[in-house]
Amino acid sequence: MKFQNDKRQSAQAANPSLAFSGRTFVRAAIMSTVVLVATSAAMAQPISLLPPTYYTYDTTTNVGAITQSQMITNRILANVLLGGNEQINCSNCVSAFGSVGSFSAGAHGRYNFNGQLSILGGVAISQYHGKGYQATSVPILAGAFRYDFADSGWARPYIDVGLVASPGQSFRITRNYFNGGVPATGIGKPDGNSLSAFAKAGWVFRVTGRDEISVFGEVWRSWQRMGSYVETPVPPMPAIFPAATDVMTIGKIGAQWTHLWGTSIETHLNGGVARTFGTSSSLHGTLNGVGALTLTGLKERTYFEYGARIGYRITPKLVLDVFANGAIMGGPIGNQIHVGSALRYHY
């Protein structure tokens, strides 16, 4: 056995080109087979079957969070129309206002039918933006009835019930994505309509002739209908979004304080913790040749809402107000602040 092994080794040593050619042939055959299999697999599997993550990023989170951001922003702007920066018990008034940060302009007021029942509301046209979207035109109509148990003394309950409607909204939604590893952008311009119904119950304390404090809880139920749209530019990978309806409930616990300094300056502060619940959406998108885009950015959120106002009494009946409203939310929705001024007339 030892002799035979030595003989084979001697033969290979005597003809090295033969041994080298054999090894080269085997390696070439293996490499050819691998290349052939890989090429066949690539030809058999078109690019459209690659996973959606190869094409998309920041897609479902943005689109999912956008609907919540729109509804929350609309609610904050509507609060201005509902006297959210004013005291609970007040005389008849009308106010014209404008705000920036997110543009909004309109008029609102209140009218007291008697010492207990009053109506509050107003109209506005707004333009605002958030992460991944712009609201280019949002009309807001808000109204509420308030019943203040004024005959019950300096500390008493009150109740608000009302509606907020925003017909004929226009939006511009931006979706960033990868097209075969190359960053790209799709833009959609859907229309929308929204409606909210709310109820608020609180306790007001007329501590002194200059101080009013209130604690309250409120619940809003909101519906938003977004029209269908196809992203542009058409190439390279546009997504298709059918019409969809979003539903969200917001509960809030808060407090406010209004104070008169001397005879000319009045201040107001309000704030509260809000929580979304019962949130749902029929929104979904389809990427042509890839499949459905799953909505993952829609989830329940806890955040803080706030407001402040400084008023200067030009005359006993005419007040110049500077105010701010906003929310601290973080995450894909982000924070927001709206700053404005108003001229308020009491009668």
Side-chain angles (χ1 to χ4, degrees), residues 77 80 96-106 124-127 323-325 337-342:
L77 295 175
V80 176
F97 72 93
S99 66
V100 296
S102 291
F103 170 78
S104 184
I125 183 71
S126 301
Q127 295 179 351
F323 63 88
N325 295 88
I337 182 171
H338 315 278
V339 180
S341 62

Side-chain angles (χ1 to χ4, degrees), residues 16 24 33 35 37 47 56 78 112 134 144 163 191 194 236 242 271 305 320 342:
T24 302
T33 303
V35 171
V37 171
I47 192 171
T56 63
N112 299 310
Q134 291 178 319
L163 294 172
D191 296 327
S194 68
E305 293 183 352
L320 177 63

Side-chain angles (χ1 to χ4, degrees), residues 73-83 95-100 102-109 121-128 135-143 163-170 194 323 338 341:
T73 302
N74 204 43
R75 158 188 158 83
I76 292 172
L77 295 175
N79 266 330
V80 176
L81 304 178
L82 297 168
S95 175
F97 72 93
S99 66
V100 296
S102 291
F103 170 78
S104 184
H108 69 94
V123 296
I125 183 71
S126 301
Q127 295 179 351
Y128 53 86
T136 57
S137 177
V138 179
I140 304 175
L141 300 87
L163 294 172
V164 176
S166 291
Q169 302 170 330
S170 297
S194 68
F323 63 88
H338 315 278
S341 62

Side-chain angles (χ1 to χ4, degrees), residues 254-277:
Q256 66 177 60
W257 171 44
T258 307
H259 179 74
L260 176 63
W261 305 84
T263 59
S264 300
I265 304 296
E266 58 185 74
T267 57
H268 173 93
L269 295 172
N270 68 74
V273 176
R275 170 72 179 178
T276 69
F277 58 95

Side-chain angles (χ1 to χ4, degrees), residues 68 221 247-249 276-281 298-301:
Q68 285 183 305
R221 183 68 168 172
V247 182
M248 183 170 64
T249 301
T276 69
F277 58 95
T279 303
S280 64
S281 177
L298 200 68
K299 65 178 184 179
E300 309 299 356
R301 305 179 189 277

Side-chain angles (χ1 to χ4, degrees), residues 111-314:
Y111 178 77
N112 299 310
F113 295 104
N114 52 46
Q116 292 79 37
L117 181 64
S118 58
I119 185 171
L120 305 91
V123 296
I125 183 71
S126 301
Q127 295 179 351
Y128 53 86
H129 64 275
K131 292 187 176 181
Y133 77 96
Q134 291 178 319
T136 57
S137 177
V138 179
I140 304 175
L141 300 87
F145 288 101
R146 172 172 293 164
Y147 194 88
D148 179 1
F149 294 80
D151 293 339
S152 299
W154 69 275
R156 72 241 182 200
Y158 69 94
I159 299 172
D160 291 355
V161 292
L163 294 172
V164 176
S166 291
Q169 302 170 330
S170 297
F171 297 101
R172 184 180 190 272
I173 298 176
T174 301
R175 182 180 67 93
N176 297 316
Y177 64 94
F178 281 128
N179 175 43
V182 179
T185 299
I187 297 173
K189 297 181 178 180
D191 296 327
N193 301 280
S194 68
L195 177 68
S196 298
F198 68 91
K200 179 178 179 180
W203 209 273
V204 59
F205 304 87
R206 297 304 296 255
V207 182
T208 69
R210 295 175 175 272
D211 292 277
E212 183 195 80
I213 297 174
S214 171
V215 293
F216 58 86
E218 59 182 298
V219 177
W220 286 56
R221 183 68 168 172
S222 300
W223 298 264
Q224 178 168 278
R225 178 72 172 175
M226 186 77 73
S228 61
Y229 66 94
V230 178
E231 291 178 338
T232 57
V234 175
M237 293 295 291
I240 302 169
F241 289 89
T245 300
D246 307 300
V247 182
M248 183 170 64
T249 301
I250 297 177
K252 177 181 175 181
I253 297 176
Q256 66 177 60
W257 171 44
T258 307
H259 179 74
L260 176 63
W261 305 84
T263 59
S264 300
I265 304 296
E266 58 185 74
T267 57
H268 173 93
L269 295 172
N270 68 74
V273 176
R275 170 72 179 178
T276 69
F277 58 95
T279 303
S280 64
S281 177
S282 61
L283 179 67
H284 65 281
T286 302
L287 202 59
N288 196 20
V290 176
L293 300 176
T294 305
L295 186 68
T296 61
L298 200 68
K299 65 178 184 179
E300 309 299 356
R301 305 179 189 277
T302 301
Y303 64 97
F304 182 77
E305 293 183 352
Y306 62 89
R309 176 181 61 85
I310 299 176
Y312 174 71
R313 294 186 176 181
I314 301 171

